[in-house]
Amino acid sequence: MKLSCNLNCSSYVVFLTALLVNLAERISFGAGKGRFLSKGFCPFPSSWKGKPLGLIIALIMLHQTWASSVCKRWYEIVSSTRFLWNFSQVLSQKPWYFMFTSSEEAVGYAYDPSLRKWYSIELPCIQTSNWFIASSCGLVCVMDNDSRSELYVCNPITKCCKSLQEPPGLKFSDYSALAICVNKKTSCYSVAIVKSKQVPGWRGGDESVICDGVLYFLIYSTGGGGPDNRHGLITYNLSSRSSHGLLIRTFIPVPCSLTCGRLMNLKEKLVMVGGIGKPDRPDIIKGIGIWILNGKEWQEIARMPHKYFQGFGEFDDVFASSGTDDLIYIQSYGAPALLVFDVNQKQWRWSQKCPVTKRFPLQLFTGFCFEPRLEISP
């Protein structure tokens, strides 16, 4: 195989690139259904024969940028429609979790639950970890937290990024929330921004998600009522887009007293992860539950075992949680520990230890879940 390089790079990089090009060509032309079975093709060591493509899938994704500089043929292949489509068919990737490790910069690591590995990647567009972030089917939508006028949609793996126009209507608001939904058949996407001002008894927040054409938005009580009414859910049908009627009429109460709630779309069903408050002190967390919304009724599908709850150490009444497909990630703001819940398997599992440790007492950690995909672009 001939390999022409424009960069002054080590023989290791050249060799690795050659292997990736060879693999990419096989995927591009439909060869290989997840394992290397062909007798005539094995660019890898003999001990790798029969190994799943997942062993090197991370290399394909994470080295796309530098490999395109090293080898023109690589860039041509990975940019082709045939390769991207076949690649998505060869391996169905589980959703990753990106953990910010700085409150000042948008830097951190992405966790791959399939290989149980952490990767250092750079996010396009986003500048700090306090930006609004929403994801769906390989695309991530971000909005700045200051002017709330900078709006982007990007693919964090391919680094493709598109700037969106500032939405019309209310320019300044007390609270904002961001949501995105991608149609997997057409790759078209919808972005929703909820802007709200505080009204007597209730205020908005930053939790919203789109499921099956309906926008769900979490609101918070500002006083009055019992402990079970500290949170509520408002719905809006994006298909009808009716501007008539009061949104409060769509109010759905939460299943119990919550310290916080996190909304997510799991296979077009609304799932909420919430901190369960103590009966006598609803602002103090005693555990974490997971519910799915059926119609207007909540069904509890899991409760975090106490040993995992204790494993976080000190757990604040608010925490980070996001998920998609069959995985839910839960993280404390005060530490880089990450817990993964598999909805199908009903299994709780700690992630591999993040390569970043807490350096000072007030250091905060947060993150978001996204699907690593090559074939979709904004």
Side-chain angles (χ1 to χ4, degrees), residues 148 170-177 193-199 202-207 217-220 234 247:
R148 301 178 187 178
L170 186 67
K171 190 170 183 64
F172 300 102
S173 60
D174 296 332
Y175 304 96
S176 297
I193 300 175
V194 181
K195 294 184 177 182
S196 60
K197 289 185 175 293
Q198 185 166 322
V199 297
W202 294 95
R203 69 167 179 83
D206 59 1
E207 280 295 317
F217 176 57
L218 203 62
I219 60 175
Y220 306 79
I234 296 294
L247 286 176

Side-chain angles (χ1 to χ4, degrees), residues 154-173:
C154 67
N155 182 323
I157 298 298
T158 65
K159 304 296 188 291
C160 293
C161 189
K162 180 180 180 180
S163 175
L164 302 183
Q165 291 183 347
E166 183 179 358
L170 186 67
K171 190 170 183 64
F172 300 102
S173 60

Side-chain angles (χ1 to χ4, degrees), residues 66-232:
W66 64 255
S68 65
S69 301
V70 172
C71 178
K72 183 179 179 180
R73 176 59 178 153
W74 167 263
Y75 180 78
E76 291 174 350
I77 293 172
V78 299
S79 300
S80 68
T81 303
R82 178 182 292 180
F83 168 78
L84 295 177
W85 188 88
N86 278 299
F87 184 88
S88 66
Q89 304 303 309
V90 168
L91 185 71
S92 178
Q93 189 76 14
K94 290 183 178 180
W96 289 10
Y97 186 85
F98 183 89
M99 183 184 296
F100 292 101
T101 55
S102 170
S103 56
E104 303 296 329
E105 301 175 291
V107 296
Y109 292 85
Y111 180 68
D112 175 0
S114 299
L115 302 181
R116 293 179 58 79
K117 299 287 186 181
W118 288 92
Y119 308 117
S120 177
I121 65 174
E122 296 180 3
L123 297 176
C125 307
I126 187 171
Q127 296 177 15
T128 62
S129 60
N130 72 340
W131 279 35
F132 295 92
I133 301 175
S135 70
S136 174
C137 192
L139 294 183
V140 175
C141 186
V142 298
M143 181 176 68
D144 75 297
N145 199 18
D146 295 325
S147 67
R148 301 178 187 178
S149 60
E150 294 185 56
L151 189 63
Y152 303 94
V153 176
C154 67
N155 182 323
I157 298 298
T158 65
K159 304 296 188 291
C160 293
C161 189
K162 180 180 180 180
S163 175
L164 302 183
Q165 291 183 347
E166 183 179 358
L170 186 67
K171 190 170 183 64
F172 300 102
S173 60
D174 296 332
Y175 304 96
S176 297
L178 179 67
I180 182 174
C181 182
V182 177
N183 185 316
K184 293 186 177 182
K185 293 182 179 180
T186 64
S187 295
C188 296
Y189 57 87
S190 300
V191 174
I193 300 175
V194 181
K195 294 184 177 182
S196 60
K197 289 185 175 293
Q198 185 166 322
V199 297
W202 294 95
R203 69 167 179 83
D206 59 1
E207 280 295 317
S208 67
V209 70
I210 300 171
C211 299
D212 198 24
V214 177
L215 175 68
Y216 296 91
F217 176 57
L218 203 62
I219 60 175
Y220 306 79
S221 172
T222 57
D228 291 345
N229 293 326
R230 299 181 70 218
H231 298 79

Side-chain angles (χ1 to χ4, degrees), residues 35-56:
R35 293 180 178 270
F36 301 109
L37 299 177
S38 173
K39 294 181 180 179
F41 171 78
C42 188
F44 305 101
S46 58
S47 60
W48 283 37
K49 285 185 179 180
K51 299 295 185 182
L53 281 176
L55 288 172
I56 58 173

